[in-house]
Amino acid sequence: MTSPLDRLLEIAGVALATPGRPRAAAVGADRITPVTRPWAQRDGFHAFESALYVHPLATGAAGERSMQAWNEPALWRAVYDDLAAEGLCFAEDVFGGQFVLLHGEVSTFDPETGARDWLAPDLEGWAEAVLDDYAVLTGHPLAHAWQAQHGPLQAGQRLVPKIPFVLGGEFTVENLHALDAVEGMRRRGALARQLRDLPDGARVTYRVVD
């Protein structure tokens, strides 16, 4: 019987890193080891019209950040302080929502609030969840609609809301713009730090930059 990971790989795009490229140095042996089997079959990929982005272990083509590079604290995680301190961020939805592997289990990480929610007991469970509910877990409908109007997302880009969803921004094409994934995370990391200690209903000032 075909496993969920194998089924996901069957519908995914081409590998983002090619055999023979140097592997990224370990992000931490206990963190990197669980992903080596599926990544040996296809080292990083896009799926669902780029709504799902899985980082390669090896150095990829221009604009494709390796898993090690993406998890370097100085890139974006430090902006979140302790909110993003744990786990291996190995994949993203179209909005930059992270899929995080920690102690073998997979959770989601909301870039606007820093909130983590348990998703699956392992990578096979993650793949099964994505296949069962890809519209919600990857943002595919909006990814499709935005790209139909504006063209394909470029390497390293995610769709970031102009007005954050947590502040009432709508899940519409008009509220989205393509932005470098790192810049998108850093902007929202500052927002997440502000929000975590505020009581419900508190007023927040957020500056929109086109």
Side-chain angles (χ1 to χ4, degrees):
M1 182 176 179
T2 306
S3 74
L5 267 174
D6 289 334
R7 295 202 306 274
L8 181 58
L9 290 172
E10 286 174 0
I11 65 171
V14 298
L16 300 178
T18 57
R21 285 180 181 263
R23 290 278 172 181
V27 181
D30 59 327
R31 296 165 64 187
I32 208 77
T33 300
V35 304
T36 54
R37 184 188 69 78
W39 274 250
Q41 296 173 254
R42 186 165 307 165
D43 198 2
F45 57 86
H46 294 276
F48 307 108
E49 297 182 86
S50 296
L52 177 66
Y53 174 62
V54 177
H55 288 276
L57 284 174
T59 302
E64 305 289 1
R65 295 179 178 91
S66 71
M67 201 176 299
Q68 182 195 12
W70 182 248
N71 282 273
E72 288 292 342
L75 189 68
W76 62 267
R77 295 180 72 148
V79 179
Y80 285 84
D81 291 337
D82 59 322
L83 291 171
E86 294 186 308
L88 179 73
C89 297
F90 67 92
E92 309 171 57
D93 68 21
V94 76
F95 311 116
Q98 302 295 305
F99 294 105
V100 186
L101 185 68
L102 180 63
H103 306 310
E105 300 183 334
V106 179
S107 62
T108 58
F109 177 83
D110 187 328
E112 296 184 358
T113 66
R116 290 174 183 257
D117 290 300
W118 186 91
L119 180 63
D122 51 28
L123 285 170
E124 288 287 357
W126 165 76
E128 184 172 20
V130 168
L131 290 168
D132 287 347
D133 199 11
Y134 65 88
V136 171
L137 289 177
T138 73
H140 173 258
L142 273 176
H144 172 81
W146 190 93
Q147 291 176 101
Q149 290 188 27
H150 301 283
L153 284 167
Q154 301 302 304
Q157 289 185 331
R158 296 286 84 190
L159 293 179
V160 176
K162 300 172 184 177
I163 300 175
F165 303 131
V166 71
L167 299 183
E170 297 182 345
F171 283 85
T172 61
V173 170
E174 293 72 25
N175 189 41
L176 298 172
H177 62 151
L179 191 65
D180 178 79
V182 173
E183 179 63 21
M185 295 302 289
R186 292 180 68 86
R187 288 186 188 183
R188 289 175 291 176
L191 175 63
R193 290 201 323 270
Q194 295 177 59
L195 291 176
R196 67 172 170 178
D197 295 324
L198 291 178
D200 291 341
R203 296 181 68 87
V204 176
T205 300
Y206 185 81
R207 185 164 61 93
V208 178
V209 179
D210 289 326

